[in-house]
Amino acid sequence: MSENENDVQLTPGDPAVRKKCRRTYALISLALCISYCLAFTASVFFSKYIVELYNNGKIPLPAPQVNAIMSFGPMYLICFPLVFLALSRMKKAAPAQQEKTGFKQLLIYYSMCFPIMLAGSTIGNVLSALLSRGESQNHMAQLLSNVDPLVIIITTVFAPIVEELLFRKFIIDRTVQFGEKTAILFSGLSFGLFHMNLYQFFYAFGIGVLLAYIYIRTGKVRYSIFLHVGVNLIGSVLVPFLLRQSDYMEFMKKISSMNIEAALNSPNLVWVIIYMIYSTLYFAVVCYGFVMIITKRKSLTFTIREHELAFREGLFLSVVNVGTIIYFIASILFFTRSLFL
């Protein structure tokens, strides 16, 4: 018996259900917002101290690892523990269906991530450039470009596990009772906003929605973790590594200037070829994933809950509440900050 079966029996649209729905989403949004702001404050407060220690030679670590500690440390040591603590006190209900998912199906889901990543990153990059008049910089991309072992461990192991437990299992388990569609969209939206920059928002939102659907259908967070690891492995490790090894941008400058001989005599020519092969495979997977998104959309299934609200009503209540509005406002402020700093 789930915890929700002990609640007073209510019909969809009942004022008590609406009140509970609004309150649940508000508390989750507030927990995310407040904990992120605390982590950000701690990061600003300690960053100057850490930089000073590093400059004085008192931190025997390379610069990329120091940057990673300042970027990820407050988030994973302060923010996420606070959110987990806050959400652990809320009632939960596991996904109703637990479909079996084989390796083949996981590969299909994985392929669907690629067109989402491409479209989302393109939209984010274009909007960031337009809003900042070309002056903004993707600081996260700069951090990941170093291909440092500590950054790799954080982005491909630690981050997927912690983020999937929070944004999929913890959040969905506490919101799915009001409707699966609303819980899926809120999971993706809160995940996208939590990145606090336009560069990552759109693709994080899209992939978050896909991973949320997978979790609701399977009831297994390990599947979304597995896919999250795969996504980060490509974007945070493989691509930066190939770009660095091939010096691809320099190669293309030589080609564009018609300096073909210099380009062909490049010492990194082998890595350039490898990167081109990867790019071709990437484009093929993007096309396949897009086709899968189109064809699979008709087979999407959702379980109707006993006390579920109508989709539009549930979605409205998940967004129009004090907590989510504050979360939106804080996100806009951080988005703006990321464009001009």
Side-chain angles (χ1 to χ4, degrees), residues 76 110 117 144 152 154-161 163 191 195 200 203 207 226-240:
Y76 291 104
Y110 187 45
M117 284 192 294
L144 298 177
I152 292 175
I154 293 174
T155 56
T156 63
V157 179
F158 198 70
I161 294 175
E163 291 175 3
F191 182 57
H195 287 76
Q200 296 177 286
Y203 74 76
I207 291 178
F226 174 79
L227 293 174
H228 197 152
V229 169
V231 168
N232 284 10
L233 191 64
I234 294 294
S236 303
V237 180
L238 181 59
V239 173

Side-chain angles (χ1 to χ4, degrees), residues 144-299:
L144 298 177
S145 64
N146 293 292
V147 198
D148 181 82
L150 178 60
V151 177
I152 292 175
I153 293 173
I154 293 174
T155 56
T156 63
V157 179
F158 198 70
I161 294 175
V162 176
E163 291 175 3
E164 289 308 306
L165 286 175
L166 173 58
F167 290 99
R168 252 53 72 183
K169 183 168 180 58
F170 265 66
I171 288 181
I172 290 178
D173 285 0
R174 286 151 182 81
T175 58
V176 72
Q177 58 187 303
F178 306 112
E180 291 186 351
K181 293 181 182 179
T182 303
I184 288 172
L185 287 176
F186 183 82
S187 172
L189 180 61
S190 60
F191 182 57
L193 290 175
F194 202 77
H195 287 76
M196 294 298 176
N197 67 80
L198 276 178
Y199 289 103
Q200 296 177 286
F201 169 74
F202 293 98
Y203 74 76
F205 167 68
I207 291 178
V209 168
L210 175 61
L211 296 181
Y213 177 79
I214 294 170
Y215 172 64
I216 278 186
R217 287 284 62 80
T218 65
K220 307 294 183 183
V221 73
R222 65 172 177 265
Y223 294 138
S224 62
I225 291 175
F226 174 79
L227 293 174
H228 197 152
V229 169
V231 168
N232 284 10
L233 191 64
I234 294 294
S236 303
V237 180
L238 181 59
V239 173
F241 174 78
L242 290 178
L243 285 173
R244 188 173 183 177
Q245 291 296 116
S246 63
D247 199 4
Y248 185 72
M249 300 307 297
E250 182 63 28
F251 176 83
M252 292 306 298
K253 287 181 181 178
K254 294 176 181 178
I255 294 295
S256 60
S257 62
M258 301 303 293
N259 195 352
I260 307 299
E261 184 177 354
L264 294 178
N265 290 328
S266 172
N268 300 321
L269 184 60
V270 174
W271 284 106
V272 170
I273 295 173
I274 293 175
Y275 181 76
M276 288 180 173
I277 294 174
Y278 159 78
S279 298
T280 303
L281 293 175
Y282 179 84
F283 179 74
V285 175
V286 166
C287 294
Y288 177 77
F290 180 74
V291 171
M292 289 296 101
I293 291 175
I294 299 299
T295 57
K296 294 290 184 180
R297 76 186 192 281
K298 296 181 180 180
S299 61

Side-chain angles (χ1 to χ4, degrees), residues 1 29 35 42 75 84 100 110 121 131 138 198 231 311 330 332:
M1 178 181 292
S29 297
S35 59
M75 188 64 60
F84 279 123
K100 292 184 178 179
Y110 187 45
S121 60
L131 292 175
N138 190 340
L198 276 178
V231 168
F311 172 61
I332 292 173

Side-chain angles (χ1 to χ4, degrees), residues 95-167:
Q97 289 189 1
Q98 294 191 1
E99 299 176 356
K100 292 184 178 179
T101 300
F103 186 70
K104 180 180 178 180
Q105 183 60 46
L106 282 178
L107 288 179
I108 293 176
Y109 283 139
Y110 187 45
S111 71
M112 294 164 69
C113 292
F114 286 83
I116 295 174
M117 284 192 294
L118 179 60
S121 60
T122 301
I123 295 173
N125 289 334
V126 171
L127 279 180
S128 297
L130 289 175
L131 292 175
S132 67
R133 297 182 179 180
E135 295 182 0
S136 66
Q137 296 182 346
N138 190 340
H139 297 290
M140 184 56 64
Q142 292 176 352
L143 176 63
L144 298 177
S145 64
N146 293 292
V147 198
D148 181 82
L150 178 60
V151 177
I152 292 175
I153 293 173
I154 293 174
T155 56
T156 63
V157 179
F158 198 70
I161 294 175
V162 176
E163 291 175 3
E164 289 308 306
L165 286 175
L166 173 58
F167 290 99

